[in-house]
């Protein structure tokens, strides 16, 4: 007798229904998954409520007879079709979603269901969901009502987040943390996301976060560049007007400190080339926190006079790369 | 009632099939472990963006004391995972103010942060055909590649090309590749050659402006592969008897390697060896038709062993330490990394005369044959075998390997390049 009692093996009839996209149409299922997927087609409705916070989701409780929980034990593949049957391209991480299989003990202890999200793309009328086991030599079972329900990405408390295995919800919480420059929450969320899914984009985000933390706490080690500050510019009265990034815009995923170092070096070079003694930010540049930061660093690095506007807190209205507007101002003042 | 039910059932069946055809059967319907393994972004997208890699590279140069004006970023196309040549060539890059950053798609060049001094170094340019399916797409790829090259020049970035082959060994689109090479040779600023005869060997196919050429030979593989197994142990591992004379053909298998031509000479060579010769052909598999040929040619020959598969870095030593002679049977080509590997392990090497120039300073241990007369390889093999037991020869090769060590040749490469900039 298997420890996964109560679950039934898939039959030929199930696969016949599956080939029509009708698996699990009539009642909730408790099945032992196979490598051969079972499929279910959902009609999403003709009307589309674009921009709605609600999305379709399917909750599944996944269990294994293994001694430890299995990573990526269930693969859910999602495809969307228009009314005429044309397949709609969707991002890879939405098209294929992997799920953990919990041990029977964990399931009993209430590890909870995992959610498959179906974020309906524009024009989608049908969604085809396939469920398959990916691991060999282990039994993987799923208990679910194979039906879509409207779900809200409601905010969760800290305890729920620490146990959550819903990537969409964790990423929503991460966006919120980023917007508030809450690095502590961000670090916790990213640590969980990395632990669960091992994706580079999360690692990259954590690197950006730690980089910002380093900039705030330890500052920027100007190293040998600061020595160059003794070679002061000849013409203190002449201003270099800084209106746009010299190294190109700060792109997503680029650690701020790395970008700042390079940008400040370029700025120092440009100011010196012009024979100026002061960096003046244009009105447009004053609204861009990264330019304010690079200007203040370059001023320190090159021994130039600081633009007095840099030190006005109100001129830094937005945060950047896990730093709040106040924190950016704090760093700017340190260099200015 | 029964009739109506039958009609209904037929309707359900037909609509089911139609539904199935519309929605289910399209595309891949089954999952495989491979799909899952390669799906993770980790395998496809690097942890850092190319722009970030560029800034890291610049930072590495600043840390070595190079100022912004002197730090040069070397954007390199394209990266190979298994061939250590690039790591060898760039072994001393940072010491000379160059930081290599690899890219696989020319569109990445547009993301290089401004303000950096950039050189673009191309290697195996035929890789642009990797995703091409027909001549039309290949021609389009050539046009795009050349346009991107021209754009890089317009940005003031020097283009450097290391010419590894006349054409790719197994060119998918020979005509398009020749056009690519001819136009690219005209576009680039500097061409690095390892074989001094490169211009002459390429001349029948495309012209090289000799003023753009600079010669830095192929480095030895000193320190590249593990080397701790004795010759006796290596021979035991390969099941050789003490009197066996092992001729090794090493490296990725392919029609271009001249293996078929060499196998045609085996009986004649075996006669000269009094039947004591053994042959090992070791390397990753080639296309199916070539492998079928190879199976047919080697079947029934007890003196030939076929070791199919990639040979790991720690196993390379077993083959070269066990070998009496390494045979690079290529009938065409410009350079041979296998010859350099063999010489590094102290193994006399047989190579076509046209390719011998890529190795500098090891002439006494290189035994050449005329690629136009494949039977001349027998004489070269016999001569190489005579040299193989000589301690003097081995000492000479050890000295050669040190003198041509990757770091030293890398220094030569960058010094030559800086002189030209």
């Amino acid at each position: 007798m298997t420890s996964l009692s109560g679950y039934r093996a898939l039959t030929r009839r199930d696969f016949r229904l599956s080939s029509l996209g009708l698996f699990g149409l009539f009642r909730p299922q408790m099945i032992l998954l196979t490598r051969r997927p079972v499929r279910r087609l959902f009609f999403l409705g003709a009307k589309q409520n674009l921009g709605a916070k609600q999305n379709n989701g399917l909750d599944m409780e996944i269990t294994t007879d293994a001694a430890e929980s299995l990573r990526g034990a269930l693969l859910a593949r999602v495809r969307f079709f228009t009314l005429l049957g044309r397949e709609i391209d969707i991002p890879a991480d939405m098209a294929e979603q992997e799920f953990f299989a919990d041990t029977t003990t964990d399931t009993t202890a209430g590890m909870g269901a995992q959610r498959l999200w179906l974020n309906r793309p524009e024009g989608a009328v049908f969604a085809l969901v396939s469920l398959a086991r990916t691991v060999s030599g282990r039994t993987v079972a799923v208990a679910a009502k194979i039906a879509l329900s409207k779900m809200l990405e409601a905010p969760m408390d800290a305890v729920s987040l620490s146990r959550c295995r819903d990537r969409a919800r964790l990423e929503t919480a991460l966006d919120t943390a980023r917007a508030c420059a809450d690095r502590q929450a961000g670090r916790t969320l990213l640590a969980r996301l990395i632990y669960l899914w091992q994706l580079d984009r999360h690692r990259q985000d954590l690197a950006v976060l730690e980089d910002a933390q380093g900039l705030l706490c330890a500052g920027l080690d100007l190293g040998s560049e600061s020595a160059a500050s003794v070679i002061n510019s000849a013409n203190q009265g002449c201003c270099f007007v800084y209106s746009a990034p010299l190294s190109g815009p700060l792109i997503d995923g680029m650690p701020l400190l790395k970008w700042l170092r390079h940008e400040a070096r370029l700025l120092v070079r440009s100011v010196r080339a012009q024979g100026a003694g002061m960096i003046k930010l244009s009105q447009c540049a004053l609204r861009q926190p990264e330019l304010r930061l690079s200007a203040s660093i370059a001023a320190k690095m090159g021994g130039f006079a600081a633009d007095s506007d840099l030190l006005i807190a109100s001129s830094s209205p937005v945060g950047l790369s896990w730093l709040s507007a106040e924190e950016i101002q704090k760093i700017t003042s340190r260099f200015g | 009632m029964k009739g109506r039910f039958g009609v209904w059932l037929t309707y359900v069946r037909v609509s089911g099939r139609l539904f199935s055809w519309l929605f289910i059967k399209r595309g891949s319907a089954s999952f495989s472990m491979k799909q899952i393994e390669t799906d993770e972004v980790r395998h496809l997208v690097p942890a850092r963006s190319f722009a970030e890699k560029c800034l890291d590279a610049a930072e590495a140069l600043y840390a070595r004391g190079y100022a912004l004006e002197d730090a040069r970023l070397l954007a390199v196309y394209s990266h190979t995972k298994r061939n250590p040549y690039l790591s060898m060539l760039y072994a001393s890059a940072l010491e000379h103010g160059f930081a290599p950053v690899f890219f696989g798609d020319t569109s990445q060049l547009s993301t290089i942060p401004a303000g950096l001094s950039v050189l673009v170094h191309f290697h195996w340019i035929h890789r642009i055909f990797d995703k091409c399916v027909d001549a039309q797409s290949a021609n389009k790829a050539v046009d795009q590649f050349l346009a991107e090259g021209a754009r890089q020049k317009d940005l003031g970035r020097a283009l450097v090309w290391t010419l590894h082959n006349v054409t790719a060994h197994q060119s998918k689109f020979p005509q398009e590749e020749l056009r690519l090479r001819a136009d690219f040779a005209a576009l680039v600023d500097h061409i690095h050659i390892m074989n001094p005869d490169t211009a002459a060997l390429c001349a029948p196919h495309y012209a090289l402006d000799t003023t753009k050429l600079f010669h830095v030979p192929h480095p030895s593989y000193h320190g590249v592969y593990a080397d701790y197994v004795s010759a006796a142990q290596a021979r035991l591992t390969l099941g050789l008897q003490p009197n066996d004379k092992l001729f090794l053909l090493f490296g990725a298998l392919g029609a271009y390697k001249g293996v078929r031509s060499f196998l045609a000479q085996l009986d004649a060579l075996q006669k000269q060896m009094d039947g004591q010769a053994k042959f090992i052909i070791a390397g990753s598999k080639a296309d199916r038709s070539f492998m079928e040929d190879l199976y047919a040619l080697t079947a029934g020959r007890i003196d030939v062993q076929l070791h199919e598969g990639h040979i790991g870095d720690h196993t390379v030593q077993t083959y070269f330490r066990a070998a009496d002679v390494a045979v690079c049977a290529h009938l065409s080509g410009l350079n041979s990394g296998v010859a350099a590997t063999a010489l590094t392990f102290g193994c006399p090497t047989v190579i076509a005369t046209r390719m011998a120039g890529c190795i500098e300073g090891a002439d006494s241990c290189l035994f050449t044959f005329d690629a136009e007369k494949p039977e001349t390889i027998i004489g070269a093999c016999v001569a190489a075998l005579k040299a193989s037991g000589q301690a003097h020869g081995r000492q000479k090769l050890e000295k050669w390997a040190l003198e041509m060590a990757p770091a030293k040749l890398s220094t030569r490469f960058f010094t030559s390049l800086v002189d030209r900039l």
Side-chain angles (χ1 to χ4, degrees), chain A residues 233 238 240 265-277 304, chain B residues 69:
Chain A
S233 290
C238 180
F240 177 90
R265 279 191 191 105
L266 291 182
L267 189 53
V268 168
R269 185 172 69 175
S270 302
V271 175
R272 284 195 180 136
Q274 195 177 297
F304 309 121
Chain B
E69 293 73 20

Side-chain angles (χ1 to χ4, degrees), chain B residues 43 71 107 123 137 190 192 204 217 243 256 363 367 377 392 416 418:
Chain B
H43 298 293
S107 66
H123 286 270
S137 57
H190 314 285
H192 163 222
N243 291 334
Y256 66 93
D363 301 352
F367 298 86
I377 203 167
H392 176 63
S416 307
V418 168

Side-chain angles (χ1 to χ4, degrees), chain B residues 40 71 138 156 176 182 191 193 268 327 330 356-358:
Chain B
E40 281 296 301
E176 290 72 18
I191 302 175
I193 55 170
V327 182
H330 306 58
C358 74

Side-chain angles (χ1 to χ4, degrees), chain B residues 109-110 116 118 148-158:
Chain B
L109 291 172
S110 61
L116 292 170
V118 180
E148 184 57 42
R151 206 178 71 81
Q152 294 303 316
K153 278 192 83 168
D154 291 344
L155 289 169
R157 295 172 179 170

